[in-house]
Amino acid sequence: MQRVFSGIQPSGIPQLGNYLGAIRNWVALQADHECLFCVVDLHAITVWQDPAQLARQTRELAASIIACGIDPRKHILFHQSGVPAHARLAWIFNCVARIGWLNRMTQFKDKAGKDREAASAGLYVYPSLMAADVLAYHATRVPVGDDQKQHLEFANDIAQKFNHDYGVDFFPPIQPLIQGPAARVMSLRDGARKMSKSDPSDQSRINLADDADTIALKIRRAKTDPQPLPDEPAGLEGRPEARNLVGIYAAMADTDAAGVLREHGGRGFGAFKEALAALLISHLAPIAAETRRLLADPGAVDAILGEGAARAAEIADPIVREAERLVGFLQIPSAAAPSSHVRS
Ligand code: AMP
Ligand code: TRP
């Protein structure tokens, strides 16, 4: 059975792009894969996070992932900081990766913005940690949204260079799984920007915790153009906002753009937006309710993460220990401190 690994940052409330680009595909993969899903708190702090908020968001995201249909008993759901193997392997990978490779990463350029000198060093080496996340488990399939494609190519480059430099065939190639008509969900306010939990405008996204009225209002206010919907996907060319709403509809209704336009082509956006809002509400309202129910017992959510971290470490520790041996680190079991060193 192939091993699946994927991650999501606890940097805010999960939004529709996380759901359609990633989490929904994770749910489907559970049937015939061994899966690990990780709330990547180490990645989150590559940009500033308020400590109390980070802790709360980590727990809330875990609850939301379970509410979407991830089964933490059959599979493994955990927080990244709970498994030290990630950071250990990431350090080795920082020494395998080349600065030239990191300089080509578009996500760093986007997130660092104009003042690159002021970005954290962690944001720069973010892709090495992501490669370590996957490769610490020898996972081979990684379901993500379209924006993570370059990072997974980088992970494959690291695996190949490690194998080459140390003369081994240790890290397997990774296959990115980027699927569906909503692998790149765009902002509701600007069809040229991706929907993101860190966008300052809440109107730009649907949050998985939004109530029915909020969803309906955000969709009604979503930016569109004055033309009616075209009859065929070719007519969406040059209409990014229309294309985005059709893509979201297609993903939620398990069809494609052609299927949506067969039904809604020729109509104005008023009626289409109403149908889209109803579709979103029917899918997302039960997820929000289940998330709230789970969060009524925060200790239970924490226990799931703690147990997941222990099970994840059981897989990752031997793999990372072997990587360390290959690099040439001494394999000395740590002994208990001699009693003469222990102060009373
Ligand atoms: P992040 O929120 O950046 O941690 O992303 C977690 C997962 O959601 C990754 O697989 C992303 O590729 C995916 N994702 C995030 N935003 C979008 C989006 N707007 N459209 C599609 N997938 C997305
Ligand atoms: N970088 C990913 C994102 O922001 C999250 C992530 C971290 C991830 N580690 C991962 C995704 C490993 C897949 C595999 O979207």
Side-chain angles (χ1 to χ4, degrees):
M1 204 188 305
Q2 299 221 50
R3 190 172 281 158
V4 163
F5 186 100
S6 196
I8 177 167
Q9 300 185 68
S11 48
I13 303 168
Q15 39 83 14
L16 187 64
N18 296 131
Y19 181 65
L20 295 178
I23 304 173
R24 209 174 64 138
N25 300 329
W26 303 357
V27 172
L29 287 163
Q30 292 180 109
D32 45 8
H33 294 80
E34 177 194 2
C35 302
L36 293 119
F37 300 116
C38 187
V39 180
V40 292
D41 46 5
L42 303 185
H43 277 110
I45 63 161
T46 57
V47 299
W48 171 251
Q49 304 291 332
D50 172 78
Q53 202 163 312
L54 178 64
R56 199 179 60 241
Q57 284 171 178
T58 301
R59 183 181 297 120
E60 288 175 358
L61 181 53
S64 173
I65 291 169
I66 298 168
C68 287
I70 295 299
D71 183 346
R73 285 176 307 274
K74 290 211 187 91
H75 298 275
I76 299 179
L77 174 66
F78 69 108
H79 55 311
Q80 193 181 25
S81 61
V83 181
H86 293 243
R88 280 157 57 198
L89 188 58
W91 179 256
I92 294 176
F93 284 175
N94 277 335
C95 300
V96 172
R98 304 293 91 183
I99 287 178
W101 303 359
L102 286 166
N103 284 342
R104 286 194 283 276
M105 295 294 119
T106 56
Q107 182 174 293
F108 175 76
K109 292 177 200 166
D110 289 349
K111 283 202 181 176
K114 285 195 192 77
D115 194 3
R116 222 174 271 183
E117 301 274 310
S120 77
L123 187 65
Y124 188 61
V125 295
Y126 179 114
S128 300
L129 176 60
M130 180 162 160
D133 292 342
V134 178
L135 292 167
Y137 301 89
H138 280 178
T140 50
R141 317 195 83 192
V142 182
V144 286
D146 182 63
D147 60 332
Q148 297 302 311
K149 195 168 160 206
Q150 192 186 36
H151 286 159
L152 293 177
E153 286 162 4
F154 175 94
N156 273 327
D157 289 344
I158 290 205
Q160 244 180 49
K161 182 162 162 58
F162 182 99
N163 289 346
H164 175 267
D165 289 355
Y166 294 101
V168 290
D169 186 14
F170 185 61
F171 288 118
I174 300 170
Q175 185 193 353
L177 303 177
I178 299 168
Q179 277 159 348
R184 191 173 190 84
V185 177
M186 308 311 283
S187 157
L188 299 177
R189 311 300 303 169
D190 176 356
R193 291 164 62 92
K194 72 171 179 179
M195 186 178 286
S196 161
K197 37 175 139 65
S198 50
D199 192 310
S201 161
D202 192 60
Q203 295 296 315
S204 71
R205 62 179 164 263
I206 304 288
N207 302 311
L208 294 194
D210 282 347
D211 61 28
D213 290 347
T214 308
I215 293 175
L217 192 66
K218 284 178 177 175
I219 293 296
R220 213 177 305 137
R221 288 194 183 148
K223 187 175 169 200
T224 45
D225 55 44
Q227 321 297 333
L229 282 164
D231 294 320
E232 291 173 8
L236 294 169
E237 206 58 52
R239 301 175 65 185
E241 285 85 13
R243 176 197 295 279
N244 188 39
L245 295 185
V246 169
I248 293 171
Y249 193 107
M252 300 303 294
D254 270 322
T255 176
D256 55 13
V260 176
L261 295 176
R262 260 196 303 279
E263 198 184 331
H264 294 278
R267 282 197 187 175
F269 277 100
F272 178 68
K273 281 177 163 180
E274 226 166 276
L276 176 58
L279 194 56
L280 284 165
I281 291 164
S282 71
H283 272 75
L284 301 184
I287 294 176
E290 177 62 5
T291 305
R292 273 195 303 278
R293 193 189 67 77
L294 289 163
L295 286 171
D297 187 355
V301 178
D302 290 7
I304 288 172
L305 290 175
E307 195 197 308
R311 287 161 61 207
E314 258 174 54
I315 304 172
D317 283 344
I319 293 174
V320 173
R321 218 175 305 124
E322 177 60 10
E324 289 170 339
R325 194 189 65 78
L326 290 168
V327 165
F329 294 170
L330 274 178
Q331 304 282 293
I332 306 173
S334 50
S339 55
S340 62
H341 292 176
V342 179
R343 292 196 194 159
S344 53

